[in-house]
Amino acid sequence: MRPRQIRPPHGPFVNRQPELAALTAALGRAESGGPAIVVFTGLGGVGKTELIAEFTERYRWRFPDGDLYADLRAYRHQGGVDLPGLLAGFLRDLGAKPPTVEAERFTMFRTVTAERRCLFFLDNVEHAAEVRALLPSSGLVVVASRRRLPALRMDGAEVRQLGPLSASAGAELVRRWLGSERGTEEELAALVELCGGLPLALNAVGGQLLDRESLPIARVVAELHDREGRLAMLDDEGSDLGPTYDLVYERLSERGRALYRLIGVHPGPFVSAELARAAGVEQPARALDELRAVHLVDEVLDADSETRFRAHDVVRLHAFGRTRELPGRAELLARVVAYHRGRASLADRALMGPRLRLQEPSGEELPGFASGEAALEWLYAERANLRAVVEEAARQGWHGEVWRLCESLWPLYHGRKLYLDWIATHECGVESAQWDNQPDAVVRMRNQLARAHYERREFVLAAEQLALAAEQLPLVANRQVVGVLHETDGLLCLADGRPDLAVERFTLALAENRGDPHGEIVQSYNVAQALIGDDRPEEALAVLDGATELAEATGDHDMLTKLPLVRARAHRALGQLDLAILHAGDCADRARARKQYPKEAQAHTLLVALAEERDDPELAERSRARLREIQP
């Protein structure tokens, strides 16, 4: 399915003809080969996103391979952008499996886009280097930024500054909403001036004028004049929209104001009806419709089934100012944190089933997930919210919430390889577990942080985290927590070419997991892999026999999918190619049925190698064909 991620335009569109012409010309250049880049800079609320939405709506048919959107603010952390994480999303949207190695994602992205005609909209860019890293091999790249980015001219980009609407263009926009009978030209000009010529502010005020046909424009202008200078919005670009949004806020219904306050308190960029309901907003769906009608929030298009909305940064700034001294602010924020921790806990259980968890189950009062796949899509769509909630809870000193939420985020980070988020949140998790005086949690957080470094092949950093975690072991009560350290240490031994030591570490981990069937199976799986690496495949098969019997007895379908692949490798090491093909095929079939495509790809990759060793071109081609389907 082709990605269609750029939202439709909101309604009447005025002016901006030179900018539309620039985009059309760039599209022609893109169709001639190679990427074309257009950059729009300007104040927040000046209409950059609406311009690009209007262009996309008019010319979508000329992007047969889709249009993709990325808000870089959602990937930004401590001044840097998680570019590999962003590219992983683009690759999935284009039907490709992102490589685990981050550097390979950039080359794969260029390969995947070489023969495609796509539109890429990069929003909230701050530095030219961010754009350069995300350039496809072909297609049109449109950039929106509040900063001037003249350096991109060196890359062939056309850089244009988008200014506020003129008095006449702003008046024309309002006339298209309200008709010709309402308000004088002088009143409309004053309204445009008081809104700074910014379409975002005009949309908000105009939406309420449409809702109240008896409300005179002159009265709105008079009220804005009365407020002018009393409560300026502290925008670093000099936009004084505080009076405008004060007036919009006060004309909302009580449920609309409650939702607006939630936007001001919520540390993340997205809100949903479920979050609003958990935060105490009455009739949240109607409240969202109300804010959407006056253009205070936009719907966000994402892969999961939940509808979520994002407020423009100017709106969020004003909402934050309205709630800075709110008497119930801490209580409202606590509800936001509890919601995200509860739903993350539900998602973790839906995805991972029974596994070691230090926290009690939570979130039973919240909506669950129909499948593990749905849970993973929710976690991924909420990734910016989840990171922001972890960091804000840490600032508030709610340490128990922090490490528990981090524990539940393991399937997201391990599954989608969001390494920068993974490391940032778990650094908070380590510190919070220490403040909470929970040695078991300290070890768990350091181990999960070590696994992030291990997957990035930062083996020294991973070992440092394990060493720091080991200092807590005399205080640890749960022996399975000790087991996870042995497991990660075993992985490091394998990476370092020491399979004999890996066997020892995984055997220790297995001993610590006795009594927990899933833990025993996982560590047996690890022991078998290490034994194969240590040229002991017969011992590996004996270990796998016991693990498979236990997995069948306990219905551990996840491990029943993975175990045959290791068995196939053991038979291959023994030269038993027929048995190796049998078990690799079993793994591929099980993984396909469970939609575990990365594991299926591993099985078919092994099948190709086995087919070549046995001189079976038909089997090799079948597996290659399937690999092309799941790894375009």
Side-chain angles (χ1 to χ4, degrees), residues 334 337-339 341 390 393 398-406 436:
V337 173
Y339 167 80
R341 184 165 81 82
V390 166
W398 299 340
H399 299 302
E401 298 288 278
V402 173
W403 70 257
R404 288 178 174 87
L405 180 50
C406 287
D436 205 29

Side-chain angles (χ1 to χ4, degrees), residues 87-107:
L87 277 184
F90 273 173
L91 287 168
R92 274 189 293 269
D93 295 334
L94 292 170
K97 177 182 177 290
T100 300
V101 178
E102 292 172 300
E104 294 177 2
R105 298 176 188 175
F106 295 89
T107 54

Side-chain angles (χ1 to χ4, degrees), residues 71-86 123-127 130 267-269 383-395 402 406 409 413 418-429 431 449 453 456:
D71 180 357
L72 271 64
R73 190 179 298 274
Y75 292 87
R76 195 177 302 283
H77 175 70
Q78 294 182 347
V81 173
D82 182 7
L83 296 171
L86 192 159
D123 201 2
N124 285 311
V125 170
E126 291 190 4
H127 305 287
E130 295 165 355
R383 62 195 180 279
N385 275 350
L386 291 163
R387 185 189 69 206
V389 165
V390 166
E391 293 172 341
E392 182 60 29
R395 280 191 288 269
V402 173
C406 287
L409 294 180
Y413 296 148
L418 304 172
Y419 294 122
L420 293 187
D421 282 7
W422 187 346
I423 291 169
T425 55
H426 280 70
E427 286 174 346
C428 291
E431 186 174 352
L449 181 54
H453 290 305
R456 297 185 78 183

Side-chain angles (χ1 to χ4, degrees), residues 102 423 450 452-463 492:
E102 292 172 300
I423 291 169
H453 290 305
Y454 161 78
E455 293 200 10
R456 297 185 78 183
R457 305 190 66 79
E458 298 167 344
F459 299 137
V460 172
L461 294 177
L492 287 173

